[in-house]
Amino acid sequence: MTEALLREMRGRLRDGGLRGHLLVRDLRTGEELGIEPDVQLPSASLVKVPLALATAERIRRGELDGATMLDVAPGRITTPGPTGLSRFRHPARIAIDDLLYLSTCVSDNSAADALFDLTPPAQVAGLLHEFGLHGITVRHTMRELADTPVERFDTTQAHLAHALAIDAGTSGHGHRVPQLDTTRANTGSARACVELLQALWTPSAIDPEVAHRVRGLMSQNLIRHRLAPDFGSDATTWSSKTGTLLNLRHEIGVVEHSDGQAFAIAVLTESLVPASTQPGADALMAWVARTLRDHLRQL
């Protein structure tokens, strides 16, 4: 029955124009269901969760003070997508604690880069390894994501950037667009993301106070159009982080039920449809993830 379900889900994703890499894990029992969960993809804004973890850990160690004020240059970005400081026109003075909120909950790239200036990618990666977390690479800041083909085309030609993203890759996930090349980009797999979520939600090498803080930030995520409609309710808490870059649509998170059950979910996808706005793809991602969760919950 489980194999038949997975075949059906693969078919639904394919018919909906998506290559999907998913993993759903029961955090109490360890039971899991997945569809190609070990494939590495560029992580886009999902990297802001390891960044939040590293920043919170350095605050705990006394290496950073969350109240320290930083001067942040305006992003002045006018293309669709970026949020927060990335769209500011004038400089701002903001505390590290508030940059942490903006980076994680609003997915603000400028706020994330201000944090990366304090804790460079190599140091974030080192802390992940210190916690025994592998399979997530952190190679560059968010500034690298601000120079993709979509910024070079007129908004009426965004589909051309997406067509390039779809067609210019290799079977080994190399790519003519650097941000989509897994040998150069920040990357992760669905399994590696679920391992990170499990370390944040269950006892691990991560300090409990640090884990609690990152969980709290993820619970305040304001971007809730993708998986949240299928996992948020009065009887559940959905804590998550999205990642979007050209034809990539990702979300990772944990759904906690009022009966005590909790499921870590990672959905990483590549769209084969050359369009910026695809609400159907977001809905399909959520439906497949919820179907796998429902099946696990009944086992």
Side-chain angles (χ1 to χ4, degrees):
M1 178 178 177
T2 297
E3 283 304 317
L5 175 66
L6 292 176
R7 281 197 301 273
E8 180 188 354
M9 294 302 101
R10 289 189 192 98
R12 293 292 188 98
L13 289 167
R14 183 176 59 251
D15 292 346
L18 291 176
R19 281 196 292 260
H21 310 282
L22 296 81
L23 189 65
V24 180
R25 179 182 295 170
D26 187 327
L27 291 180
R28 290 197 306 184
T29 68
E31 294 280 348
E32 62 182 36
L33 284 175
I35 297 174
E36 298 186 15
D38 297 305
V39 173
Q40 289 280 323
L41 288 180
S43 56
S45 285
L46 297 184
V47 76
K48 292 168 185 169
V49 178
L51 175 61
L53 170 59
T55 303
E57 173 62 16
R58 294 193 66 208
I59 291 172
R60 183 192 72 82
R61 294 180 181 183
E63 298 171 4
L64 298 174
D65 182 347
T68 298
M69 303 295 289
L70 300 178
D71 293 319
V72 183
R76 295 175 180 159
I77 294 176
T78 58
T79 53
T83 60
L85 298 170
S86 299
R87 305 193 81 84
F88 274 30
R89 297 184 179 184
H90 307 286
R93 201 154 197 263
I94 303 179
I96 291 174
D97 280 336
D98 296 325
L99 289 169
L100 193 52
Y101 167 77
L102 289 172
S103 171
T104 312
C105 305
V106 187
S107 205
D108 183 337
N109 286 350
S110 292
D113 278 336
L115 296 177
F116 268 130
D117 287 342
L118 299 173
T119 308
Q123 189 172 2
V124 174
L127 283 167
L128 287 177
H129 294 158
E130 186 179 322
F131 294 136
L133 296 167
H134 305 283
I136 294 174
T137 61
V138 187
R139 296 186 174 106
H140 60 72
T141 66
M142 305 310 295
R143 293 183 187 94
E144 307 288 335
L145 303 185
D147 186 25
T148 70
V150 77
E151 280 76 37
R152 303 178 193 181
F153 287 106
D154 183 86
T155 53
T156 61
Q157 298 179 310
H159 65 283
L160 297 177
H162 285 263
L164 176 62
I166 293 165
D167 296 334
T170 69
S171 59
H173 281 99
H175 209 287
R176 288 170 57 192
V177 178
Q179 295 89 343
L180 299 179
D181 187 334
T182 56
T183 66
R184 292 185 278 179
N186 297 328
T187 62
S189 66
R191 186 177 303 282
C193 290
V194 164
E195 293 290 344
L196 172 59
L197 294 171
Q198 179 158 347
L200 289 168
W201 259 262
T202 63
S204 70
I206 300 173
D207 181 85
E209 290 186 9
V210 171
H212 176 76
R213 182 165 193 186
V214 178
R215 291 197 305 270
L217 288 166
M218 293 181 69
S219 73
Q220 297 170 48
N221 178 21
L222 294 181
I223 302 175
R224 305 185 68 81
H225 67 284
R226 194 159 285 163
L227 301 191
D230 275 72
F231 289 104
S233 74
D234 289 346
T236 62
T237 299
W238 174 243
S239 306
S240 69
K241 181 74 194 77
T242 58
T244 307
L245 176 65
L246 293 171
N247 67 321
L248 302 179
R249 285 172 170 76
H250 308 327
E251 186 158 358
I252 64 172
V254 171
V255 58
E256 299 172 85
H257 298 273
S258 58
D259 63 4
Q261 283 188 301
F263 296 84
I265 298 168
V267 184
L268 280 57
T269 72
E270 303 168 275
S271 174
L272 303 177
V273 179
S276 298
T277 303
Q278 297 183 47
D282 293 325
L284 177 59
M285 290 169 60
W287 180 80
V288 171
R290 180 169 180 170
T291 299
L292 296 185
R293 189 284 315 266
D294 288 349
H295 185 75
L296 268 185
R297 202 174 184 199
Q298 293 167 6
L299 292 179

